[in-house]
Amino acid sequence: METFNQFVKKKNTFLFGITITFLTFYILLPVLAFTPVLQQKAIGSITWVWVYSLALFIMTIVLCTLYVNMAAKFDKTAAAVLQEYKKAGAQQ
């Protein structure tokens, strides 16, 4: 069914995009932590490593919230696709 294929494509695009975003920022922390860039002081004695680490926590919360909101939409779309499938099966 075309609606099912569109649903799966939309869902996979969202999930892969959010996963790549998270992993990119997450993996950059250990890479950048030992460079002079993040060792500089940001505010007082706090270095940019701590600021970046805090940003990772904020990013995680934002991505989780975004995922929960999108999952609700995906559930509604999946239910609609399932209803269409059942209706198409009953007509045959």
Side-chain angles (χ1 to χ4, degrees):
M1 290 179 32
E2 185 61 31
T3 54
F4 176 75
N5 291 336
Q6 290 173 350
F7 167 68
V8 170
K9 184 177 180 181
K10 184 177 179 181
K11 183 178 173 186
N12 285 343
T13 301
F14 172 74
L15 291 176
F16 287 132
I18 206 168
T19 301
I20 295 297
T21 301
F22 176 79
L23 288 177
T24 300
F25 286 113
Y26 183 75
I27 292 172
L28 277 177
L29 178 62
V31 172
L32 294 175
F34 298 104
T35 63
V37 174
L38 293 182
Q39 295 298 329
Q40 298 174 10
K41 295 185 189 283
I43 302 167
S45 62
I46 299 173
T47 61
W48 285 105
V49 173
W50 289 101
V51 174
Y52 191 88
S53 299
L54 178 63
L56 284 176
F57 279 102
I58 294 169
M59 177 196 65
T60 302
I61 292 168
V62 168
L63 290 181
C64 287
T65 304
L66 180 62
Y67 174 78
V68 168
N69 292 335
M70 288 300 292
K73 291 178 185 177
F74 288 142
D75 288 344
K76 289 178 184 176
T77 306
V81 169
L82 187 58
Q83 286 294 341
E84 182 182 335
Y85 175 75
K86 287 180 181 178
K87 187 184 288 186
Q91 292 176 355
Q92 291 182 351

